[in-house]
């Protein structure tokens, strides 16, 4: 959605009740029947039908009328429900620009007690729909796995960040709702987008941070120049949904892959060469100190 804040401000309290009702109903139905939406939202069927028509025009709900009148929500409405939660809980006071779009998330700037980045996870949509199409005869598949896949990814990322912060240099995790994670906004530049005056120092600090995460039982598993932000106070590592326990059978391999991604970047951009074994030693030193 282009303008989440605008869409948010247009909605009334009863619209959020309707979207929330559809969200709940989707646990049991692919298309939630109007009668159930009315019951779950506490709105009369007439009122519900009228407001749902407006939500449909705003493309916040989809409708299916083949067998009965049923409704579904997609990520746009799920985003708005999460945002509404943050606003109600006084986590977010204003909502700003889109600052990042990845294959598996959309990130917005916002304000709360501190400047925030809100990451809306997007996992599960394409791949699960695909799976369901292929296996539509199976009844034991969850009906709306995208909703759960995205929420699970967000929860995992949040829990990992809570374990790492503040020992490891990452954004402070602030709040979570559904598939949305509110965290401290990190002012700086992605490592791949700037030219460092002292690349050796930055590389050493990054290895140290990787080591500290390892000492807390975590390997990032998606580390690269795209997931490191350089601030005035040094590098900060973001994007933790893939994080894996050090006890995982592939943890060592993932750690080595993380390190080699970083080493490859410093070699390519700065002609700075460090053997993989040295990097591994540095990280493990930081882990035990
Ligand atoms: N805390 C933050 N402060 C400032 N900018 C952020 C913050 N978190 C994310 N961003 C911006 O949003 C972009 C996307 O965030 P992130 O890397 O976490 O997800 P992603 O790359 O979409 O995830 P995936 O790698 O799964 O596709 C980042 O590259 C960065 O520009
Ligand atoms: Mg990323």
């Amino acid at each position: 959605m282009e303008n989440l804040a605008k869409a948010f401000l247009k909605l009334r309290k009863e619209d959020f009740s309707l979207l929330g009702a559809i969200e709940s109903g989707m646990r049991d139905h692919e298309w939630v029947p109007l009668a159930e939406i009315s019951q779950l939202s506490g709105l009369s069927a007439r009122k519900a039908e009228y407001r749902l028509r407006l939500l449909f025009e705003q493309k916040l709900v989809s409708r299916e009328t083949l067998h009965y009148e049923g409704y579904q929500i997609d990520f746009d409405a799920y985003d708005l429900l999460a945002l509404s939660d943050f606003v109600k809980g006084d986590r977010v006071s204003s909502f700003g620009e889109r600052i990042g779009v990845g294959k598996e998330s959309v990130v917005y700037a916002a304000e709360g007690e501190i400047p925030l980045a809100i990451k809306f996870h997007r996992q599960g949509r394409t791949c699960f729909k695909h799976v369901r199409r292929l296996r539509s005869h199976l009844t034991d598949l969850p009906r709306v796995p995208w909703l759960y896949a995205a929420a699970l990814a967000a929860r995992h990322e949040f829990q990992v960040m809570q374990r790492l912060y503040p020992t490891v240099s990452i954004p402070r995790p602030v709040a979570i709702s559904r598939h949305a994670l509110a965290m401290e906004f990190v002012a700086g530049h992605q490592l791949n987008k700037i030219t460092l005056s002292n690349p050796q120092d930055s590389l050493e600090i990054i290895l140290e941070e990787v080591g500290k995460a390892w000492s807390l039982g975590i390997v990032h598993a998606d580390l690269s120049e795209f997931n490191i932000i350089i601030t005035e106070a040094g590098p900060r590592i973001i994007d933790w949904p893939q994080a894996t326990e050090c006890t995982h059978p592939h943890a060592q391999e993932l750690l080595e892959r993380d390190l080699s991604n970083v080493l490859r970047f410093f070699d390519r951009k700065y002609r700075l060469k460090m053997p993989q074994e040295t990097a591994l030693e540095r990280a493990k030193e930081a882990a035990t100190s």
Side-chain angles (χ1 to χ4, degrees):
M1 179 181 299
E2 257 319 292
N3 201 325
L4 201 59
K6 226 176 178 176
F8 182 83
L9 292 173
K10 260 210 235 154
L11 295 188
R12 297 195 191 166
K13 205 167 140 218
E14 58 260 37
D15 296 329
F16 284 108
S17 306
L18 289 168
L19 296 177
I22 299 174
E23 179 192 23
S24 314
M26 281 171 75
R27 277 184 214 132
D28 305 316
H29 309 274
E30 180 152 20
W31 297 92
V32 189
L34 178 61
E36 189 166 329
I37 299 173
S38 156
Q39 194 198 6
L40 288 167
S41 65
L43 299 178
S44 71
R46 250 188 62 214
K47 176 99 185 170
E49 195 168 12
Y50 172 69
R51 296 301 308 175
L52 281 167
R53 195 178 324 132
L54 299 179
L55 290 171
F56 179 75
E57 282 163 13
Q58 293 170 71
K59 298 193 168 59
L60 288 175
V61 301
S62 330
R63 189 167 55 202
E64 158 80 65
T65 43
L66 277 178
H67 308 297
Y68 59 89
E69 186 162 316
Y71 291 84
Q72 245 182 20
I73 58 167
D74 207 330
F75 272 117
D76 287 340
Y78 206 38
D79 292 352
L80 291 167
L81 284 168
L83 183 57
S84 150
D85 234 19
F86 290 145
V87 171
K88 266 191 268 170
D90 276 335
R91 299 300 198 165
V92 169
S93 52
S94 78
F95 193 74
E97 302 265 294
R98 194 159 69 183
I99 52 176
V101 188
K103 9 175 227 339
E104 309 220 284
S105 78
V106 185
V107 182
Y108 283 84
E111 289 290 330
E113 256 178 46
I114 53 169
L116 299 172
I118 303 182
K119 178 171 179 177
F120 296 94
H121 280 259
R122 287 284 185 265
Q123 283 86 348
R125 183 157 51 179
T126 45
C127 74
F128 275 93
K129 267 194 181 160
H130 183 60
V131 168
R132 213 175 58 217
R133 217 180 302 119
L134 291 173
R135 301 170 56 188
S136 54
H137 59 288
L138 293 181
T139 49
D140 58 343
L141 265 170
R143 285 172 193 275
V144 279
W146 63 266
L147 204 136
Y148 301 109
L152 277 177
R155 201 191 313 153
H156 177 63
E157 182 169 28
F158 189 68
Q159 286 170 347
V160 164
M161 290 177 78
Q162 283 183 314
R163 260 166 76 180
L164 298 179
Y165 187 86
T167 308
V168 183
S169 178
I170 65 163
R172 164 146 76 99
V174 171
I176 181 148
S177 171
R178 303 172 172 82
H179 64 318
L181 194 173
M183 66 185 122
E184 173 189 1
F185 176 85
V186 175
H189 300 278
Q190 234 165 256
L191 176 57
N192 63 310
K193 289 194 181 147
I194 50 157
T195 300
L196 298 167
S197 50
N198 197 338
Q200 178 80 35
D201 280 1
S202 296
L203 174 57
E204 304 261 348
I205 295 170
I206 293 164
L207 297 177
E208 219 171 277
E209 298 305 319
V210 170
K212 283 192 266 178
W214 183 265
S215 75
L216 292 173
I218 298 286
V219 52
H220 186 289
D222 190 24
L223 191 64
S224 72
E225 63 275 24
F226 305 106
N227 289 330
I228 299 173
I229 300 181
I230 303 294
T231 72
E232 281 181 358
R236 297 262 213 127
I237 305 179
I238 60 166
D239 203 0
W240 293 87
Q242 319 241 43
T244 303
E245 299 290 329
C246 293
T247 48
H248 187 279
H250 293 147
Q252 181 70 24
E253 228 172 278
L254 293 167
L255 174 67
E256 288 172 20
R257 194 182 65 189
D258 278 355
L259 293 177
S260 74
N261 289 343
V262 172
L263 293 178
R264 197 176 331 110
F265 171 77
F266 277 89
D267 182 12
R268 198 174 60 229
K269 176 143 182 177
Y270 298 101
R271 302 273 161 240
L272 200 146
K273 292 184 199 304
M274 181 187 285
Q276 170 92 5
E277 307 76 68
T278 314
L280 199 56
E281 253 166 49
R282 292 282 161 82
K284 294 257 163 117
E285 263 166 38
T288 49
S289 68

